[in-house]
């Protein structure tokens, strides 16, 4: 017997043919309309599926997920995601905030995970920007 | 409206308020997505867009100041949104200027407020007025739901032709402004909806949010249409006279 689906307006009913994202770590499944593509982090936030996140911009890596099934339904990695994840991409890891799904996908994550590190290119740029003295009379913008 | 809408009903009403007036369907957006524009038109767009989105953190700061301490999640959302716009990485307006420069204009021209249409000036003023004067949840509905949440649907149509070598032929780096906002505004939009759904807790506040979301969508549509009428129509003719894209 298949587990009941949880999602908008679909509590406690049997699985339909609609595509769905399975957030395995929090044991949630969310259906979406056929023909749509959905941002994985947005879906998790909207339906309280518990995926950790921070920046929503592909910078911190807090929302990294391992794709268990359905990688073929995901959008191509964007530039920030490629930069942020590097070889983790080859291991099946994606950033939920940067990834759209157009079909059924199953993902897992470590519920205690935090950002990848502070030594990324973006982290170094930020440190340089914050720690640099402002030239007199010059605006930072 | 005399009864409080459920969360699902209220979200549907906010979405409905934008239907038929989304900026992705305005003439300038459609001409862009259909490959009809030239780089000089994008330059004019960037000069205007800077004065709408450039002060976005300023608008949000006014809302932040009007938000009670008890609404910690709403305050944190606003602060995070401001941080992302300005200092989380490359300043977003610098990415816009980078695109503008590739299109043949300059930082000075982009920053010069005399290079914008009266409608852009009106949009900026409306954003300031709403942020300063409205209840924080109504202002969030206006600026985040009515305006910012539309961004992914607009740029997801506009980015592919920008980087298509057979259409506009920009590089991935040159168009980072668009790519960044497709994803980050998905999340801002969703968090904005959640704040509005949570804190618009009377029928009156819900109605005000619905009305101002509609106004926001109207403002963004008018701004986008005015870009076509001002900068593109002299080259291509009125939008209504354009052949229908197949
Ligand atoms: S939330 Fe920071 S990279 Fe996705």
């Amino acid at each position: 017997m298949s587990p009941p689906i949880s999602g908008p307006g679909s509590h406690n009913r049997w699985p339909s043919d609609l595509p769905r994202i399975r957030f395995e770590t929090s044991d949630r499944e969310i259906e979406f309309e056929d023909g749509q593509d959905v941002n994985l982090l947005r879906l998790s936030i909207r339906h309280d599926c518990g995926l950790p996140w921070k920046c929503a911009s592909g910078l911190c890596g807090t929302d990294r997920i391992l794709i268990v099934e359905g990688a073929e339904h995901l959008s191509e990695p964007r530039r920030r995601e490629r930069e942020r994840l590097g070889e983790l991409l080859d291991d099946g890891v994606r950033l939920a905030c940067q990834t759209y799904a157009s079909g059924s996908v199953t993902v897992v994550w470590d519920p205690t995970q935090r950002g990848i590190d502070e030594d990324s290119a973006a982290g170094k740029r930020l440190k340089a920007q914050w720690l640099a003295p402002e030239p007199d009379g010059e605006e930072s913008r | 409206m005399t009864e409080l809408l459920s969360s699902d009903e209220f979200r549907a009403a906010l979405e409905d308020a934008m239907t038929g007036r989304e900026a992705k369907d305005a003439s300038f957006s459609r001409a862009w997505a259909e490959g009809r524009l030239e780089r000089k038109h994008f330059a004019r767009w960037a000069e205007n867009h800077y004065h709408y989105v450039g002060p976005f953190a300023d608008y949000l700061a006014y809302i932040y100041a009007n938000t009670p301490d008890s609404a910690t999640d709403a305050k944190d959302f606003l602060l995070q949104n401001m941080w992302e716009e300005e200092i989380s990485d490359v300043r977003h307006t610098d990415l816009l200027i980078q695109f503008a420069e590739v299109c043949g204009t300059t930082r000075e021209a982009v920053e010069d407020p005399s290079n914008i249409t009266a409608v852009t000036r009106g949009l900026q003023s409306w954003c300031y007025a709403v942020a300063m004067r409205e209840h924080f949840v109504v202002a969030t509905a206006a600026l985040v739901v009515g305006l910012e949440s539309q961004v992914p649907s607009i740029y997801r149509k506009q980015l592919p032709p920008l980087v298509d070598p057979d259409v506009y032929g920009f590089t991935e780096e040159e168009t980072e402004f668009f790519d960044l906002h497709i994803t980050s505004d998905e999340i801002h939009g969703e968090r904005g909806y959640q704040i509005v759904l949570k804190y618009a807790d009377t029928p009156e506040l819900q109605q005000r949010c619905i009305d101002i979301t509609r106004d926001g969508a109207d403002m963004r549509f008018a701004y986008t249409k005015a870009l076509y009428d001002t900068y593109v129509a002299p080259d291509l003719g009125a939008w209504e006279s354009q052949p229908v894209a197949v």
Side-chain angles (χ1 to χ4, degrees):
Chain A
M1 215 158 57
S2 306
I5 300 289
S6 64
S10 61
H11 290 287
N12 301 322
R13 60 186 178 84
W14 299 109
S16 69
D17 288 337
L18 291 175
R20 73 203 57 181
I21 307 300
R22 173 153 180 77
F23 295 92
E24 198 156 289
T25 306
S26 54
D27 195 21
R28 298 289 312 281
E29 274 189 21
I30 309 296
E31 292 177 339
F32 59 98
E33 294 291 317
D34 224 348
Q36 268 191 354
D37 56 352
V38 290
N39 180 284
L40 293 181
L41 181 59
R42 180 172 195 165
L43 204 68
S44 169
I45 293 173
R46 175 163 178 182
H47 299 287
D48 262 334
C49 296
L51 197 56
W53 67 282
K54 208 164 171 187
C55 72
S57 311
L59 293 173
C60 68
T62 309
D63 59 338
R64 60 197 182 276
I65 43 176
L66 181 68
I67 309 302
V68 178
E69 251 183 332
E72 68 277 15
H73 297 134
L74 298 178
S75 54
E76 286 296 309
R78 317 175 96 81
R79 190 169 75 79
R80 285 167 172 258
E81 192 180 12
R82 295 197 303 269
E83 276 180 6
R84 179 68 290 200
L85 289 177
E87 64 229 23
L88 284 174
L89 266 176
D90 301 330
D91 299 335
V93 175
R94 300 293 302 264
L95 294 177
C97 69
Q98 300 295 297
T99 306
Y100 288 80
S102 53
S104 294
V105 176
T106 300
V107 305
V108 294
W109 64 91
D110 171 358
T112 62
Q113 71 195 21
R114 304 172 74 101
I116 291 180
D117 62 55
E118 292 208 342
D119 286 331
S120 62
K124 283 180 184 151
R125 262 202 307 278
L126 274 181
K127 273 186 210 156
Q129 187 178 321
W130 285 340
L131 300 179
E134 289 275 310
D136 277 351
E138 195 175 299
E139 286 185 32
S140 61
R141 172 168 267 173
Chain B
M1 200 158 78
T2 51
E3 294 215 352
L4 195 67
L5 298 174
S6 71
S7 216
D8 285 347
E9 289 167 337
F10 185 29
R11 183 188 276 261
L14 292 167
E15 286 168 354
D16 273 0
M18 290 185 279
T19 304
R21 42 175 66 81
E22 288 146 286
K24 70 178 169 52
D25 299 322
S27 45
F28 191 83
S29 305
R30 288 169 61 190
W32 181 321
E34 291 168 14
R36 302 187 193 201
L37 301 184
E38 298 171 44
R39 289 196 174 206
K40 66 176 181 181
H41 300 131
F42 295 129
R44 302 294 84 76
W45 169 81
E47 287 162 2
N48 279 269
H49 206 63
Y50 177 87
H51 293 276
Y52 154 48
V53 298
F56 218 86
D58 301 58
Y59 313 145
L60 296 179
Y62 283 112
I63 305 178
Y64 185 90
N66 287 332
T67 303
D69 289 345
S70 54
T72 310
D73 52 351
K75 291 194 91 107
D76 288 351
F77 161 68
L78 293 162
L79 196 55
Q80 181 167 16
N81 201 332
M82 285 185 257
W83 172 77
E84 280 171 24
E85 288 291 332
E86 298 296 328
I87 53 170
S88 68
D89 189 14
V90 182
R91 202 180 292 281
H92 289 190
T93 44
D94 284 341
L95 293 175
L96 177 60
I97 289 171
Q98 172 185 307
F99 176 71
E101 287 173 339
V102 185
C103 296
T105 184
T106 62
R107 173 178 285 270
E108 291 68 34
V110 171
E111 289 176 345
D112 182 348
S114 63
N115 286 333
I116 64 177
T117 71
V119 184
T120 303
R121 202 166 286 120
L123 174 61
Q124 187 203 65
S125 306
W126 183 81
C127 291
Y128 272 123
V130 164
M132 281 186 225
R133 298 172 58 179
E134 292 289 350
H135 183 289
F136 81 92
V137 77
V138 177
T140 303
L143 299 188
V144 183
V145 175
L147 297 177
E148 200 178 17
S149 82
Q150 291 194 52
V151 170
S153 70
I154 301 170
Y155 290 172
R156 289 187 78 192
K157 277 191 162 182
Q158 292 180 340
L159 181 56
L162 283 180
V163 294
D164 184 335
D166 296 327
V167 186
Y168 298 124
F170 291 93
T171 67
E172 227 184 359
E173 286 72 29
E174 289 165 350
T175 53
E176 188 174 356
F177 176 81
F178 304 93
D179 190 55
L180 174 70
H181 283 93
I182 286 174
T183 52
S184 64
D185 286 347
E186 284 274 3
I187 308 308
H188 291 165
E190 184 54 40
R191 292 288 294 123
Y193 267 105
Q194 290 187 329
I195 301 293
V196 172
L197 296 181
K198 178 174 175 183
Y199 289 102
D201 53 4
T202 66
E204 195 243 345
L205 268 180
Q206 285 188 335
Q207 189 60 53
R208 282 170 63 197
C209 288
I210 294 165
D211 291 343
I212 209 157
T213 295
R214 183 180 303 112
D215 292 348
D218 276 340
M219 292 300 292
R220 189 163 190 152
F221 189 96
Y223 153 72
T224 311
K225 178 179 182 300
L227 295 175
Y228 185 94
D229 296 343
T230 309
Y231 304 116
V232 185
D235 295 328
L236 298 185
W239 178 251
E240 293 70 25
S241 68
Q242 295 297 301
V244 177
V246 282

